[in-house]
Amino acid sequence: MQRVFSGIQPSGVPTLGNYLGAIRNWVPMQEQHESLFCIVDLHAITQFQEPAQLLLQTREMAAALLACGLSPEKCILFVQSHVPAHAELGWIFNCVARLGWLNRMTQFKDKAGKDREAASAGLYVYPNLMAADILVYKATSVPVGDDQRQHLELANDIAEKFNHDYGVKLFPRIEPHILGVAARVMSLRDGTKKMSKSDPSDQSRINLNDDNDAIALKIRRARTDAEPIPGHMLQLEGRAEARNLVGILAAITNTMPENVLREHEGQGFGSFKEVLTEALVAHLSPIRAEMLRLLEDPGSLDAALRRGAEKAEAIANPILAEVKQAMGFLARR
Ligand code: TYM
């Protein structure tokens, strides 16, 4: 049986990008497979997080994931730092992954920016911990947005090298599940940058807790161009912002971008934006309401996360023991 694993950083409120590229695809998976969804706080601290903010954002993330349809009865929802096996296997993988592999990671280059010397060592080995997240459960199916593709390739390289070096068939191959027209939702201010919860500009993204007025304002201000909407996707080449808005409307209304173009061909972006706002508000306002309701009772949220961690540990600990045994670690008896 396939085991599903995915993670999300509590580095802000989840965005429309997280929702369309990942979370929305997690919901049906919990019905069909044993699924683990993890709030990866150890990953979030690879860039400094204010303690009070991290605490708030971790609960907000849990509330958002539940409000989007994850159910603690159907999946294992938990916080990464509650299950120490992640960090332990992450260390082991620091000793398996090669510097040359990490040097090729484009996300490190993006996140570290110009001053690479000032980036944390954690940011550099981030993909090793991510490989550990997945492999400590021997998960095989990982639903993510397009930006995680390279990290998953690295995870497979680590798994393969481990199996080879220790002469075992311990870790399975991971299959990335990169789904849908919205695997890459772009910033509302700059169509060449991905929409991100950690972007300094709040105008660049829709947050899952934005109210209807905020959504309307952000869409009205979203960058577009002066050309009318064309009839074919090919004609959106070189029009990154226009293409992004068309993709968002298609994803949120469960249709293909071609159908959106057919319906709006020849129009300007004024009326298109009204339709987009309406669709977003209809889809997101029930999620926001549920998220706010759940946040009124942090005790219940914490209890659900604790139960999730207990279930996760029951799977991870025996696998970690198997790893240590394969490596020749003296067992603690
Ligand atoms: P994070 O927190 O950046 O994003 C969570 C998920 O949302 C997707 N995503 C997007 N999809 C489409 N358009 C966007 N603009 C957009 N922004 C984000 C991401 O691809 C991701 O699926 N490294 C991961 C967290 C992680 C993880 C893991 C994921 C840690 N361990 C193990 C899978 C398996 C991350 O930073 O996600």
Side-chain angles (χ1 to χ4, degrees):
M1 199 181 83
Q2 284 193 54
R3 185 175 280 152
V4 173
F5 183 95
S6 202
I8 186 161
Q9 297 189 64
S11 49
V13 176
T15 68
L16 183 64
N18 298 130
Y19 178 70
L20 294 177
I23 303 168
R24 190 171 68 154
N25 303 321
W26 299 354
V27 178
M29 293 187 114
Q30 65 178 347
E31 309 284 348
Q32 294 150 13
H33 308 287
E34 184 180 26
S35 305
L36 297 110
F37 299 110
C38 184
I39 301 173
V40 293
D41 50 357
L42 298 173
H43 276 110
I45 60 160
T46 57
Q47 293 180 300
F48 183 75
Q49 304 290 327
E50 284 297 340
Q53 279 300 105
L54 182 64
L55 190 60
L56 177 71
Q57 285 164 190
T58 302
R59 287 206 182 101
E60 273 177 350
M61 185 59 75
L65 295 177
L66 293 170
C68 288
L70 292 187
S71 154
E73 272 73 55
K74 297 180 183 160
C75 70
I76 301 177
L77 176 66
F78 69 107
V79 175
Q80 188 184 30
S81 65
H82 291 180
V83 182
H86 290 242
E88 255 189 283
L89 186 61
W91 174 260
I92 290 172
F93 285 172
N94 285 344
C95 304
V96 175
R98 306 290 92 183
L99 290 183
W101 302 355
L102 293 173
N103 286 339
R104 286 195 285 276
M105 294 295 110
T106 55
Q107 200 155 92
F108 174 76
K109 291 175 198 168
D110 289 348
K111 286 199 176 170
K114 287 201 182 71
D115 193 3
R116 216 174 280 181
E117 301 272 309
S120 75
L123 189 66
Y124 189 66
V125 295
Y126 180 114
N128 298 345
L129 180 59
M130 190 168 151
D133 294 338
I134 302 163
L135 292 167
V136 83
Y137 301 99
K138 297 190 184 178
T140 49
S141 176
V142 183
V144 286
D146 188 59
D147 60 335
Q148 300 300 317
R149 190 186 294 275
Q150 198 187 28
H151 287 159
L152 297 186
E153 285 165 11
L154 184 90
N156 273 327
D157 290 343
I158 291 174
E160 229 169 79
K161 182 166 167 56
F162 183 96
N163 286 346
H164 176 266
D165 288 356
Y166 294 101
V168 289
K169 286 201 176 101
L170 206 154
F171 293 122
R173 245 197 110 64
I174 299 167
E175 289 298 332
H177 279 258
I178 299 170
L179 296 168
V181 283
R184 201 169 177 82
V185 177
M186 308 312 281
S187 154
L188 300 176
R189 308 299 307 161
D190 176 353
T192 64
K193 274 184 16 194
K194 74 167 185 178
M195 183 181 284
S196 163
K197 46 180 137 59
S198 49
D199 193 300
S201 162
D202 189 58
Q203 295 296 313
S204 70
R205 61 175 168 263
I206 306 282
N207 306 306
L208 290 192
N209 66 352
D210 279 344
D211 63 25
N212 298 350
D213 290 344
I215 294 174
L217 192 67
K218 286 176 179 181
I219 294 298
R220 211 177 313 132
R221 287 193 182 153
R223 183 178 289 176
T224 44
D225 53 42
E227 299 293 313
I229 294 173
H232 296 284
M233 285 306 282
L234 277 178
Q235 295 164 288
L236 281 177
E237 209 65 44
R239 297 174 65 187
E241 286 84 8
R243 192 191 173 86
N244 188 38
L245 294 187
V246 168
I248 292 174
L249 182 57
I252 207 93
T253 56
N254 282 318
T255 184
M256 298 304 289
E258 287 75 11
N259 296 337
V260 169
L261 292 182
R262 213 166 297 132
E263 205 160 305
H264 296 275
E265 182 174 2
Q267 294 175 10
F269 273 93
S271 57
F272 178 90
K273 282 179 167 180
E274 280 171 30
V275 174
L276 177 58
T277 300
E278 215 169 286
L280 284 169
V281 164
H283 200 96
L284 298 181
S285 66
I287 294 179
R288 182 186 70 244
E290 178 62 2
M291 193 179 156
L292 295 177
R293 191 187 71 77
L294 290 166
L295 279 168
E296 280 171 16
D297 185 1
S300 296
L301 280 177
D302 294 0
L305 292 171
R306 187 181 58 240
R307 285 193 296 275
E310 283 161 6
K311 291 188 212 162
E313 241 175 355
I315 305 173
N317 287 353
I319 295 175
L320 184 64
E322 200 186 339
V323 170
K324 288 179 174 175
Q325 193 192 9
M327 297 176 75
F329 282 38
L330 177 67
R332 179 180 146 193
R333 293 187 218 278

